[in-house]
Amino acid sequence: MFSFSHNNINYTVRVPAYPVNLLVEHYIIMKGNGKVTERLFPNNKAEIFFNLGDKVKGINSNDAITFVNSSIVSGVRSSFFNFLPPLNYFMVGLRFTTFGFNQLFQIPAIHFTDNNFPAENVWGKEMTFLLERLYEARLQPERLFSILEEWITGCLAKCSLHEIIQWNKLEKKFYIPNLSVSGLIDRYMGYSHKHSIQLIKNNSGLSPKYIQKVIRFNEALAIISSPSFQSWCQVAYLAGYADQSHFIRDFRTFSGYTPDQYLHQKPLEYYRKDIIDTSLANR
């Protein structure tokens, strides 16, 4: 477990152990006095959050408004999402691996893409009971994480661990440099091209090509935040873009900023993999 702060919000993160880590990337507690709009970028991961504070307002890239009263299931995003933390901001939740949501619940992830639903609308009274347990433990961070872990472990007991392992292995293949979608499918799927694309969309919420685009974008963010950052040409090359114009276009689509605007504002996203990896390495 580790913590960091940004914009008057304290973040506490726990990365689960095997086999839960095949499905859940991390658990997180976010608590503080919100004053600044936060912008969340695409990451190929669905999330579930439970609200233990005041109502939270969210706005997607198309200006559609979402309110989080008690809980929210947030599908993978194809573009950025803004949320406005209230003065009493207290959220507890988790982020899934790319295929973890579908593998755990056997719900087509594509039904949740770019959508947000109250968790009660998906799992009913089970979520009301879970929220009550979390609220009772709100002063105990370790207990909050344990309650979430108990819920996930109970769901995991009903799943095929072998299938979960196979999909988790496939997720890692998306990070192989210069591997085309056709190459990935031919080498690792074992189904026809069309059927494989549909399977990946159902299990992740996005097409394999879009998953790769989001990975490149997040790799670009990590490079920009690193001490070795030099120029946009360097970022485009190291992140695997065909040229700088492709990089700029994707960057604006996913973040809502031009690269120069992003560099000037230096927004910080709690879920960025490089932030979590650095925090783990420094423990």
Side-chain angles (χ1 to χ4, degrees):
M1 187 168 71
F2 60 91
S3 302
F4 56 92
S5 299
H6 177 61
N7 285 343
N8 295 312
I9 298 174
N10 298 316
Y11 299 88
T12 304
V13 179
R14 177 197 274 180
V15 177
Y18 181 89
V20 175
N21 65 343
L22 300 174
L23 300 165
V24 175
E25 183 179 277
H26 63 260
Y27 304 106
I28 188 163
I29 300 169
M30 301 181 290
K31 187 176 181 180
N33 300 312
K35 295 182 179 180
V36 180
T37 298
E38 300 278 338
R39 178 163 293 186
L40 309 181
F41 299 151
N43 52 42
N44 293 327
K45 315 289 172 65
E47 298 167 316
I48 298 176
F49 285 106
F50 299 91
N51 190 3
L52 306 182
D54 293 341
K55 180 169 64 175
V56 180
K57 180 181 179 181
I59 306 172
N60 70 13
S61 57
N62 295 318
D63 294 327
I65 297 175
T66 298
F67 288 102
V68 184
N69 293 306
S70 57
S71 65
I72 188 170
V73 184
S74 181
V76 293
R77 294 180 294 274
S78 62
S79 189
F80 63 88
F81 182 85
N82 295 320
F83 74 94
L84 291 72
L87 290 178
N88 176 27
Y89 181 60
F90 192 173
M91 298 275 277
V92 180
L94 58 96
R95 165 163 296 161
F96 293 96
T97 56
T98 296
F99 301 109
F101 179 85
N102 172 268
Q103 289 300 301
L104 190 64
F105 301 117
Q106 297 300 303
I107 302 173
I110 197 169
H111 293 171
F112 292 80
T113 302
D114 288 320
N115 279 310
N116 301 289
F117 301 96
E120 297 91 332
N121 290 4
V122 182
W123 293 285
K125 293 182 179 180
E126 179 184 3
M127 292 297 98
T128 302
F129 176 62
L130 183 58
L131 182 63
E132 290 174 355
R133 293 182 66 201
L134 291 169
Y135 189 78
E136 290 172 358
R138 63 191 181 278
L139 301 180
Q140 303 168 274
E142 287 281 3
R143 182 61 185 148
L144 290 172
F145 288 138
S146 295
I147 291 170
L148 291 176
E149 180 103 338
E150 289 168 11
W151 174 53
I152 295 296
T153 302
C155 296
L156 176 58
K158 307 170 188 176
C159 302
S160 166
L161 184 58
H162 173 75
E163 188 170 343
I164 290 170
I165 290 171
Q166 297 309 307
W167 280 100
N168 189 261
K169 287 181 178 178
L170 181 65
E171 177 178 350
K172 293 178 172 60
K173 305 304 182 186
F174 277 93
Y175 290 85
I176 297 176
N178 303 316
L179 180 63
S180 67
V181 169
S182 295
L184 182 144
I185 288 173
D186 292 344
R187 194 178 305 176
Y188 301 111
M189 287 296 290
Y191 299 101
S192 70
H193 188 88
K194 183 177 180 180
H195 184 57
S196 295
I197 288 177
Q198 193 58 51
L199 275 175
I200 291 171
K201 288 177 72 173
N202 285 339
N203 278 269
S204 71
L206 298 169
S207 71
K209 183 176 181 180
Y210 213 90
I211 291 174
Q212 289 184 328
K213 290 178 72 172
V214 172
I215 288 172
R216 279 198 300 270
F217 166 71
N218 280 277
E219 287 178 349
L221 290 180
I223 296 166
I224 295 168
S225 299
S226 72
S228 61
F229 167 67
Q230 296 177 2
S231 67
W232 299 127
C233 287
Q234 175 217 29
V235 174
Y237 173 76
L238 293 178
Y241 287 93
D243 52 50
Q244 190 172 334
S245 63
H246 281 82
F247 160 65
I248 293 172
R249 182 173 64 247
D250 280 5
F251 198 94
R252 179 175 285 175
T253 296
F254 291 139
S255 72
Y257 300 113
T258 66
D260 286 331
Q261 287 172 334
Y262 176 86
L263 191 63
H264 176 71
Q265 297 195 31
K266 282 288 186 181
L268 176 67
E269 296 72 47
Y270 83 79
Y271 53 77
R272 279 230 315 273
K273 189 176 185 297
D274 59 302
I275 295 173
I276 292 176
D277 287 348
T278 300
S279 298
L280 285 172
N282 291 335
R283 285 194 301 170

